[in-house]
């Protein structure tokens, strides 16, 4: 989901509780804060020697232990006000993919894409998913899409990862 699409969902659903589902049945707690908005530029080289570049935007969520008993979730309005403030200081890369950085004591910190958004009468639920690591040099390593999805190791040929 692009940042612009996410912001549009927030605008259309003003005043609703904003919840993040990070795994089946597990929501980021109501005491979360949007602590950082990151414009991220990646410049990488894969094991096949190919350079890759892309940009994405990451929202970092953090659960404040001092507010552990909080029951009300942050609203779409509050997130919009934070994003407006951030955009005025460091313009958002609105055409990039949105990812959410989150972790807690029982869940290792990770950066997760948005899988789906559910709109309800009083809440907006952002469903996240964990991406698996994958080989980006499929052509060099001889990985076909089905094998990549089946978690085949990329480094099975002499030309890969050397």
């Amino acid at each position: 989901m692009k940042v612009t699409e996410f912001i549009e969902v927030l605008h259309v659903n003003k005043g609703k509780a904003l919840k993040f589902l990070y795994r089946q049945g597990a929501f980021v707690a109501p005491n979360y804060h949007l602590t950082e908005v990151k414009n991220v530029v990646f410049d990488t080289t894969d094991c096949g020697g190919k350079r890759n570049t892309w940009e994405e935007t990451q929202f970092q969520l953090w659960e404040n232990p001092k507010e552990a008993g909080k029951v009300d979730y942050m609203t779409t309005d509050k997130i919009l006000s934070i994003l407006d403030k951030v955009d005025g200081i460091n313009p958002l890369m609105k055409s990039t993919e949105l990812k959410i950085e989150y972790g807690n004591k029982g869940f290792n910190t990770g950066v997760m894409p948005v899988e789906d958004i559910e709109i309800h009468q009083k809440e907006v639920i952002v469903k996240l998913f964990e991406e698996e690591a994958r080989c980006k040099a499929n052509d060099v390593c001889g990985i076909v899409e089905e094998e990549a999805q089946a978690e085949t190791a990329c480094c099975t040929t002499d030309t890969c990862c050397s």
Side-chain angles (χ1 to χ4, degrees):
M1 168 172 278
K2 303 288 186 203
V3 174
T4 52
E5 296 167 320
F6 182 77
I7 290 172
E8 181 60 27
V9 167
L10 299 180
H11 277 293
V12 172
N13 292 281
K14 288 194 169 199
K16 294 183 179 183
L18 184 61
K19 299 168 113 178
F20 293 88
L21 182 72
Y22 63 92
R23 75 162 61 128
Q24 185 67 27
F27 288 92
V28 175
N31 59 326
Y32 79 83
H33 289 245
L34 174 58
T35 59
E36 193 170 37
V37 176
K38 303 174 186 180
N39 289 329
V40 184
V41 178
F42 289 91
D43 185 354
T44 70
T45 305
D46 64 32
C47 62
K50 180 181 174 195
R51 187 172 181 189
N52 302 283
T53 59
W54 72 94
E55 299 175 336
E56 63 187 43
T57 300
Q58 298 176 3
F59 293 176
Q60 182 185 69
L61 303 181
W62 168 72
E63 294 174 359
N64 184 347
K66 292 182 179 179
E67 297 176 345
K70 188 175 179 182
V71 294
D72 294 324
Y73 281 86
M74 190 178 298
T75 66
T76 53
D77 295 358
K78 178 65 176 174
I79 293 285
L80 281 169
S81 72
I82 293 169
L83 295 178
D84 284 345
K85 181 178 184 178
V86 168
D87 196 36
I89 298 166
N90 186 15
L92 296 171
M93 297 188 312
K94 294 178 182 170
S95 64
T96 63
E97 201 67 25
L98 172 63
K99 296 196 177 177
I100 307 298
E101 179 183 5
Y102 172 73
N104 62 28
K105 289 180 182 177
F107 184 78
N108 288 331
T109 300
V111 178
M112 298 168 280
V114 175
E115 179 176 42
D116 192 22
I117 294 184
E118 287 183 5
I119 310 296
H120 299 277
Q121 186 175 0
K122 295 183 180 182
E123 65 186 14
V124 174
I125 298 175
V126 180
K127 293 181 170 183
L128 307 175
F129 71 95
E130 295 178 76
E131 287 183 296
E132 295 180 2
R134 62 183 177 79
C135 180
K136 291 179 182 66
N138 290 352
D139 54 336
V140 174
C141 295
I143 305 297
V144 293
E145 193 63 29
E146 296 81 25
E147 289 175 335
Q149 291 175 353
E151 298 182 27
T152 301
C154 88
C155 298
T156 57
T157 66
D158 292 336
T159 60
C160 181
C161 303
S162 53

